[in-house]
Amino acid sequence: MSTRFSVLIPAYNRESYLRACVDSVLAQTFKNYEIIVVDDGSTDGTKEALASYGSRITAIHQDNSGPEVARNRAATVAQGEDRVMLDRED
């Protein structure tokens, strides 16, 4: 079965919000999705927080380039039929 949704999340220095955001997606009963988080050069604990999810998410790390660039980077690796943008504060 192909992946239905790709959830694209840009992240920059929002470790505490990021965990709640990712956890809310992982808590869904619908499971035909992938989560792609692009760490846009964070200097807090974002990298470590993403690593704690292991293979449940795809984490990409890049130099700080802004949320638009991070979203576009996530979209380039997305495998889902549809792409859903989700900000780390949501």
Side-chain angles (χ1 to χ4, degrees):
M1 177 193 307
S2 65
T3 301
R4 175 73 171 121
F5 293 101
S6 295
V7 181
L8 314 179
I9 305 170
Y12 177 72
N13 286 346
R14 296 281 196 216
E15 175 189 1
S16 60
Y17 293 108
L18 178 63
R19 286 184 184 279
C21 178
V22 172
D23 290 347
S24 73
V25 178
L26 291 172
Q28 300 303 307
T29 57
F30 179 82
K31 296 296 182 186
N32 193 5
Y33 62 82
E34 65 178 344
I35 301 171
I36 303 167
V37 182
V38 177
D39 174 14
D40 193 35
S42 297
T43 58
D44 62 357
T46 295
K47 185 173 185 176
E48 295 78 12
L50 294 176
S52 73
Y53 289 102
S55 64
R56 294 183 293 165
I57 68 168
T58 299
I60 300 170
H61 304 280
Q62 68 179 25
D63 292 336
N64 184 258
S65 302
E68 299 83 8
V69 174
R71 284 186 194 98
N72 288 339
R73 177 98 184 264
T76 65
V77 300
Q79 299 294 309
E81 296 172 30
D82 296 304
R83 286 155 177 79
V84 179
M85 307 297 180
L86 184 61
D87 285 329
R88 72 236 170 242
E89 294 94 353
D90 293 338

